[in-house]
Amino acid sequence: METEIERYRKPTRILHWIHAGAFVALFLTGLILFVPPLGFLAQDSWTRVIHRVAAILFVVAPLIYIPLNWKATLRGIKDAFSWGGKDMGWMQAAPRYYFLSDEEAMPPQEHMNTGQKLWWLMVIVFGVIFAITGVIMWFAKTAAPIALLQWMVIIHDVAFIATGSMLFVHIYLSVVHPLMRPLRTGAWSSMARGKVSADYARSHHAKWYDRVSKEKEAELH
Ligand code: HEM
Ligand code: HEM
């Protein structure tokens, strides 16, 4: 059987799918509030109710995950905020890699490449922004000054546009792009089953693959 490598542990995968489900519900109900012609869909305010229930899930799921997985959380946050020269290499190679499938152009990557790191960073930063602005709109609607509420709506909308558009890129690059295939052992498999084939790991995340292989070897000796 083909050798496989663990990429995402079970708690991380569970968090990803709960968070993704909540985010998609927030995105769709938010879209109905954001686009006036879709207003007829918001009759009886059911969209507002779903938006609030999904918002609770969106905030509470990571709050449960973090204390139970604080080492992985710290590692993840460190990764998201560590940027340097190697990210320039990815940015230069990315157009040829993603548009022409030229794998030679791409320098070896760690567990997360620069594009994945950017999405992860956006999820952290905009997640906090969504929560702060959303809670103010929710609980301080009558108490807060109108100007503050207007700013909260604008900032919430900017976060919606930025993360909403990146979500489509994220789904395309993690499931549809031919380089991320096959589904059974490639990127999809990493979030569905937690594992990828050694071949996939070597060609997409060579630095991570080398590090993990050396750690495994050291454990055996
Ligand atoms: C609903 C559709 C979604 C699908 C099909 C999907 C799929 C995936 C897959 C396959 C991966 C693994 C990529 C790899 O390691 O090679 C992944 C990673 C990740 N996903 Fe999602 N995802 C979805 C939604 C979301 C949402 C809504 C968020 C954030 C709120 C999110 C955040 C992340 C993060 C931070 C990672 C790790 C970094 C990365 O690989 O980009 N995902 N996703
Ligand atoms: C993190 C937790 C979040 C909370 C607490 C929250 C809360 C709110 C609240 C209270 C409103 C005001 C409208 C209403 O009365 O229902 C609102 C509007 C909206 N939300 Fe959220 N939200 C959150 C996350 C998100 C996310 C993740 C998205 C999209 C990806 C989103 C997109 C929107 C949009 C587009 C609007 C309409 C704003 C407008 O009127 O222009 N929200 N949200």
Side-chain angles (χ1 to χ4, degrees):
M1 212 187 92
E2 202 176 5
T3 319
E4 292 192 312
I5 297 185
E6 184 175 50
R7 182 150 171 78
Y8 294 110
R9 291 174 320 121
K10 200 170 195 174
T12 309
R13 283 182 279 138
I14 293 173
L15 173 69
H16 176 269
W17 291 118
I18 291 177
H19 216 221
F23 186 93
V24 170
L26 285 161
F27 175 79
L28 294 175
T29 48
L31 190 71
I32 292 171
L33 297 169
F34 184 71
V35 182
L38 294 178
F40 72 97
L41 290 170
Q43 266 167 13
D44 302 328
S45 281
W46 65 270
T47 39
R48 292 203 153 83
V49 175
I50 296 180
H51 202 80
R52 281 159 172 74
V53 173
I56 294 170
L57 204 60
F58 185 81
V59 172
V60 169
L63 291 183
I64 294 176
Y65 174 90
I66 292 167
L68 296 175
N69 301 275
W70 60 272
K71 269 192 187 162
T73 305
L74 285 181
R75 223 182 306 124
I77 292 176
K78 200 172 146 236
D79 275 356
F81 289 92
S82 310
W83 289 72
K86 57 190 186 322
D87 297 305
M88 286 304 293
W90 180 90
M91 282 180 212
Q92 278 165 1
R96 286 194 65 80
Y97 183 74
Y98 291 103
F99 292 113
L100 304 174
S101 294
D102 178 358
E103 297 189 57
E104 295 294 309
M106 186 52 79
Q109 296 296 310
E110 248 297 336
H111 184 265
M112 264 193 269
N113 65 36
T114 302
Q116 291 175 302
K117 221 166 57 177
L118 177 66
W119 174 231
W120 173 217
L121 181 69
M122 284 178 73
V123 171
I124 298 176
V125 173
F126 285 114
V128 172
I129 291 175
F130 272 127
I132 294 172
T133 52
V135 164
I136 293 174
M137 288 194 283
W138 185 350
F139 295 104
K141 208 168 186 170
T142 46
I146 299 275
L148 175 73
L149 285 173
Q150 279 170 344
W151 272 110
M152 294 304 104
V153 174
I154 293 171
I155 297 170
H156 208 78
D157 284 350
V158 170
F160 160 73
I161 293 164
T163 53
S165 22
M166 267 305 267
L167 175 66
F168 288 95
V169 177
H170 175 60
I171 295 175
Y172 178 74
L173 288 184
S174 48
V175 197
V176 184
H177 195 288
L179 280 182
M180 310 310 151
R181 305 291 187 108
L183 287 181
R184 203 177 46 78
T185 53
W188 169 257
S189 161
S190 71
M191 218 24 117
R193 298 190 303 125
K195 293 172 183 164
V196 290
S197 66
D199 270 356
Y200 181 89
R202 213 179 294 118
S203 67
H204 288 76
H205 300 276
K207 273 192 177 169
W208 169 65
Y209 174 79
D210 286 347
R211 184 164 54 77
V212 173
S213 308
K214 276 186 198 135
E215 280 167 12
K216 262 201 186 146
E217 231 169 72
E219 268 170 30
L220 291 174
H221 290 109

